[in-house]
């Protein structure tokens, strides 16, 4: 494991690693939502889609692996069994990987954004 000492890992570093992993693994419609000052649960939320249940699970598994090897961050995840919606909790950044239909149904972006605001699309 090439990770950094846990005390040196910042939420910005985790977010950057998350966004890179999602991009590398062809996640679609990646959106990041800054939650600092809005909740004590996390600093950032990232929402993305995979084209199929199989891709959703693969994106999530690769993300957990990348964070562990690059930063030494051990993440908790749920939802791999069905592949409809996988949640990855890194502590400072929470990532939701959805199948498009499930994402549309739950509309997490609307729940966490103030009225009239749109989510920041990650590049």
């Amino acid at each position: 494991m090439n990770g950094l000492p846990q005390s040196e890992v910042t939420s910005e570093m985790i977010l950057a690693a998350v966004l890179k992993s999602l991009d590398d693994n062809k996640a679609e419609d990646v959106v990041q939502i800054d939650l600092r000052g809005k909740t004590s649960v996390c600093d950032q939320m990232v929402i993305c889609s995979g084209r199929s249940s199989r891709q959703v699970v693969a994106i999530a598994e690769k993300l957990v692996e990348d964070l562990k090897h690059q930063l030494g961050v051990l993440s908790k995840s749920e939802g791999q069994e069905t592949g409809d919606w996988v949640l990855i909790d890194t502590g400072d950044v929470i990532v939701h990987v959805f199948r498009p239909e499930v994402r549309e149904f739950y509309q997490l972006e609307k729940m966490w954004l103030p009225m009239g605001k749109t989510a920041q699309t990650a590049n």
Side-chain angles (χ1 to χ4, degrees):
M1 180 162 55
N2 298 330
L4 298 170
Q6 212 45 36
S7 61
E8 293 180 23
V9 177
T10 66
S11 61
E12 290 80 15
M13 293 168 70
I14 295 171
L15 178 61
V18 164
L19 295 175
K20 180 171 182 351
S21 179
L22 295 176
D23 184 55
D24 289 349
N25 292 290
K26 309 282 190 262
E28 298 179 348
D29 301 320
V30 179
V31 173
Q32 83 181 66
I33 302 170
D34 187 346
L35 295 177
R36 290 174 289 192
K38 296 178 185 169
T39 180
S40 60
V41 174
C42 63
D43 291 339
Q44 300 282 337
M45 180 181 295
V46 177
I47 303 170
C48 66
S49 299
R51 291 182 301 276
S52 66
S53 295
R54 183 180 215 155
Q55 187 186 24
V56 166
V57 171
I59 288 168
E61 287 176 349
K62 187 64 172 133
L63 174 60
V64 169
E65 182 182 309
D66 288 347
L67 291 172
K68 180 179 178 182
H69 290 294
Q70 293 171 17
L71 300 175
V73 172
L74 301 177
S75 306
K76 298 175 191 155
S77 62
E78 297 179 22
Q80 295 91 329
E81 302 79 28
T82 61
D84 289 334
W85 174 4
V86 179
L87 178 138
I88 301 104
D89 183 352
T90 73
D92 291 338
V93 180
I94 293 180
V95 182
H96 300 272
V97 186
F98 286 101
R99 277 190 316 105
E101 305 82 22
V102 178
R103 182 177 180 174
E104 178 62 30
F105 180 79
Y106 286 102
Q107 298 186 11
L108 289 185
E109 292 97 327
K110 289 185 180 180
M111 183 186 325
W112 285 101
L113 290 171
M115 299 265 303
K117 297 278 186 178
T118 57
Q120 177 181 347
T121 304
N123 294 337

